[in-house]
Amino acid sequence: MKLLYVVIDGMGDLPIEDLDNKTPLEFAEKPNMDFLASRGRLGLMYTVERGVAPESDVAVISILGYDPYKYHVGRGPLEAYGAGLEMKDGDLALRCNFATLGQNRQIIDRRAGRNLTTEEASRLADAVNRLVKLEAHPAEFEFRNTIGHRGVLVIRSRVGYSLSGKISNTDPAYERVAGLGVAKMDVKMILEDCIPLEDSEAAEVSAKLVNEFIWKSHIILDGHEVNGRRESEGKLKANVILTRDAGDTLPKFFNINERYNVRFACLADMPVERGIARLAGMDLIDLPPPSGDLVRDCIIRSEKLLEVLEKFDCFYIHIKGPDEPGHDGDYMRKTEAIAAIDRYFFGRVLPKIRLEETVICVTSDHSTPCNLKAHSDDPVPLLISGGEVKGDGLKNFSERECGRGSLGILERGTMLMPILMETIGAEKTS
């Protein structure tokens, strides 16, 4: 029995008045996911636990079966590993965003308008790497842009000194709670100083290095010709780098293949999900980065999946799409993204597989309600269909219908993977 475990980023939402008090998922035309729901079991899931509005990395770790309170070490190391940067224990890694900084430390846009091209970001990153020198401590750094406005920073001591990930975020939209990255509900858009979160010299040195990097790189970025051109075109400058979710070690995950005696492959395009999958022992299937054309991206991903379907037992498939319009508060675009995934991913995969020999799980890593424009702690919809699964008799894949399903409410994301492994008949070996 094969498993297709499809995680649709930020799909969960809340009812919206202009959508007849339906969520984007409920409102969207999605005949393929509704078909799976009609012959499957439905439920809701808190991807970490009640009261936690998780970042994607924390949620993905949890829904792949790893207790985030035990295994999570900060998003930075996962991003670095997924982006192919060298990192060893004692190095400091941070997730970054290019952003727009105005007067008096005001952050005008955390993502520089979401229209920074790869070419622009690469030229800005190159200037930062060439021209910024750290002097608060003998250290060197490597900054790499990844996709769009996103990037990752690794700082390494030159004197064998271990740096500390116990430092605060400079990105005001996220905070650290019990070591996990959590979205803030009440955000003040002000660039914050990085401060130590423990009373140690290593944390103090690390915070100083981050602050020095941010302000020195800001000077370089603000005067760069890329930003001069963006400004002349009426676009926002990408003139500051925000940091968050620092870590100083890579997590030591158990090998998911050995744990369940299966072969897992990952189809994901973002560095953090690829980093998590690789650390879990999954084979990574090569994918091009997101093109900005969700239809094209879904077609490519469906073709890649069908290409390698016979080579592996289980597939973790992470699809971007609904999260970004959720952050923008654009409920129609979120609805359209869900419909596109249904038509151009599921619509192309389902006719090519034998559902009686394949279990399909569809869920999300977190909710991104359009009215909040941020991640929330709401539970996400969940369906498990195919194989020998007996359906609940419900017809629509939506948050409302999932609340009536036989799976009930999973209080922790870590509960899902054992259910999926049992459903496909995989035996836990340790």
Side-chain angles (χ1 to χ4, degrees):
M1 190 76 68
K2 290 189 181 293
L3 170 67
L4 305 184
Y5 183 13
V6 184
V7 178
I8 303 176
D9 204 298
M11 177 172 62
D13 214 301
L14 298 170
I16 295 169
E17 187 176 348
D18 288 349
L19 298 180
D20 299 329
N21 284 317
K22 296 178 179 180
T23 68
L25 177 63
E26 191 174 16
F27 191 82
E29 288 289 328
K30 51 182 194 315
N32 297 294
M33 283 188 268
D34 287 343
F35 165 74
L36 291 172
S38 71
R39 56 174 295 168
R41 301 181 67 195
L42 303 184
L44 294 169
M45 174 174 62
Y46 290 95
T47 58
V48 176
E49 63 180 352
R50 288 179 189 257
V52 174
E55 290 194 60
S56 290
D57 61 315
V58 178
V60 168
I61 287 171
S62 182
I63 63 177
L64 289 179
Y66 301 94
D67 181 349
Y69 293 102
K70 176 181 178 182
Y71 288 100
H72 190 258
V73 296
R75 183 167 180 165
L78 299 171
E79 293 270 358
Y81 194 70
L85 289 178
E86 181 184 343
M87 184 192 167
K88 63 181 186 298
D89 289 356
D91 293 343
L92 181 66
L94 306 99
R95 161 65 197 268
C96 300
N97 274 14
F98 282 105
T100 307
L101 186 68
Q103 298 295 316
N104 301 316
R105 301 172 70 104
Q106 182 185 3
I107 298 170
I108 296 169
D109 192 299
R110 291 182 53 255
R111 305 176 186 89
R114 277 201 196 275
N115 55 14
L116 190 66
T117 67
T118 299
E119 180 188 2
E120 288 174 325
S122 296
R123 290 184 63 195
L124 294 173
D126 176 67
V128 168
N129 284 311
R130 283 188 296 104
L131 300 174
V132 173
K133 307 298 178 189
L134 298 179
E135 299 170 310
H137 172 87
E140 58 191 24
F141 72 89
E142 188 173 0
F143 174 71
R144 180 172 297 178
N145 63 296
T146 53
I147 295 173
H149 56 271
R150 305 166 186 87
V152 61
L153 170 67
V154 176
I155 301 177
R156 309 177 183 99
S157 172
R158 293 203 305 265
V159 291
Y161 184 91
S162 289
L163 299 172
S164 171
K166 297 294 193 330
I167 56 176
S168 69
N169 298 338
T170 62
D171 185 335
Y174 296 92
E175 61 185 335
R176 308 190 73 174
V177 177
L180 304 184
V182 175
K184 285 185 184 177
M185 294 298 104
D186 183 22
V187 180
K188 295 180 180 178
M189 295 293 283
I190 298 296
L191 177 63
E192 301 181 359
D193 278 331
C194 182
I195 61 172
L197 297 178
E198 67 176 11
D199 185 16
S200 72
E201 182 185 20
E204 186 177 341
V205 167
S206 299
K208 285 180 179 177
L209 285 167
V210 170
N211 288 325
E212 182 182 15
F213 171 82
I214 288 171
W215 287 107
K216 285 186 172 179
S217 62
H218 167 58
I219 293 169
I220 301 299
L221 295 172
D222 198 54
H224 197 282
E225 62 180 346
V226 163
N227 279 318
R229 187 174 66 251
R230 286 177 63 84
E231 194 171 38
S232 70
E233 294 171 352
K235 298 176 182 176
L236 293 174
K237 286 184 172 184
N239 66 350
V240 72
I241 296 169
L242 304 180
T243 61
R244 70 179 195 258
D245 301 322
D248 55 48
T249 186
L250 286 169
K252 310 298 189 288
F253 292 153
F254 60 78
N255 186 295
I256 198 167
N257 301 310
E258 295 173 0
R259 173 65 60 98
Y260 294 108
N261 196 27
V262 293
R263 287 193 67 205
F264 246 106
C266 166
L267 284 85
D269 41 43
M270 304 300 282
V272 68
E273 285 87 23
R274 290 177 68 81
I276 292 168
R278 188 175 161 209
L279 287 164
M282 297 185 193
D283 280 69
L284 298 183
I285 307 303
D286 286 335
L287 290 173
S291 67
D293 181 344
L294 184 58
V295 170
R296 176 176 177 272
D297 291 343
C298 284
I299 291 171
I300 290 171
R301 280 139 187 78
S302 66
E303 290 173 347
K304 282 283 188 181
L305 172 62
L306 294 170
E307 234 175 73
V308 298
L309 193 61
E310 295 308 312
K311 297 180 182 178
F312 300 93
D313 307 307
C314 303
F315 297 84
Y316 157 51
I317 304 155
H318 197 106
I319 301 178
K320 299 293 283 185
D323 185 55
E324 194 168 288
H327 280 288
D328 292 341
D330 190 338
Y331 54 82
M332 284 309 302
R333 191 157 60 91
K334 184 169 183 176
T335 301
E336 290 161 4
I338 292 168
I341 292 167
D342 185 83
R343 181 175 181 182
Y344 295 101
F345 180 78
F346 289 103
R348 296 172 70 89
V349 169
L350 289 181
K352 302 291 181 64
I353 64 172
R354 292 174 59 85
L355 199 54
E356 61 271 22
E357 297 174 358
T358 309
V359 171
I360 300 179
C361 175
V362 185
T363 189
S364 187
D365 50 351
H366 53 77
S367 289
T368 310
C370 291
N371 63 347
L372 290 180
K373 299 185 180 181
H375 298 186
S376 75
D377 61 354
D378 296 290
V380 298
L382 168 67
L383 78 79
I384 302 174
S385 189
E388 298 178 0
V389 174
K390 291 183 171 31
D392 293 336
L394 301 170
K395 303 299 183 186
N396 185 269
F397 183 44
S398 68
E399 294 86 349
R400 197 188 314 267
E401 288 289 86
C402 285
R404 301 170 55 207
S406 64
L407 290 170
I409 298 177
L410 275 60
E411 293 289 343
R412 287 179 175 265
T414 50
M415 298 169 66
L416 179 57
M417 186 57 73
I419 293 172
L420 297 179
M421 292 296 101
E422 182 181 356
T423 304
I424 66 170
E427 295 183 5
K428 187 175 178 181
T429 58
S430 59

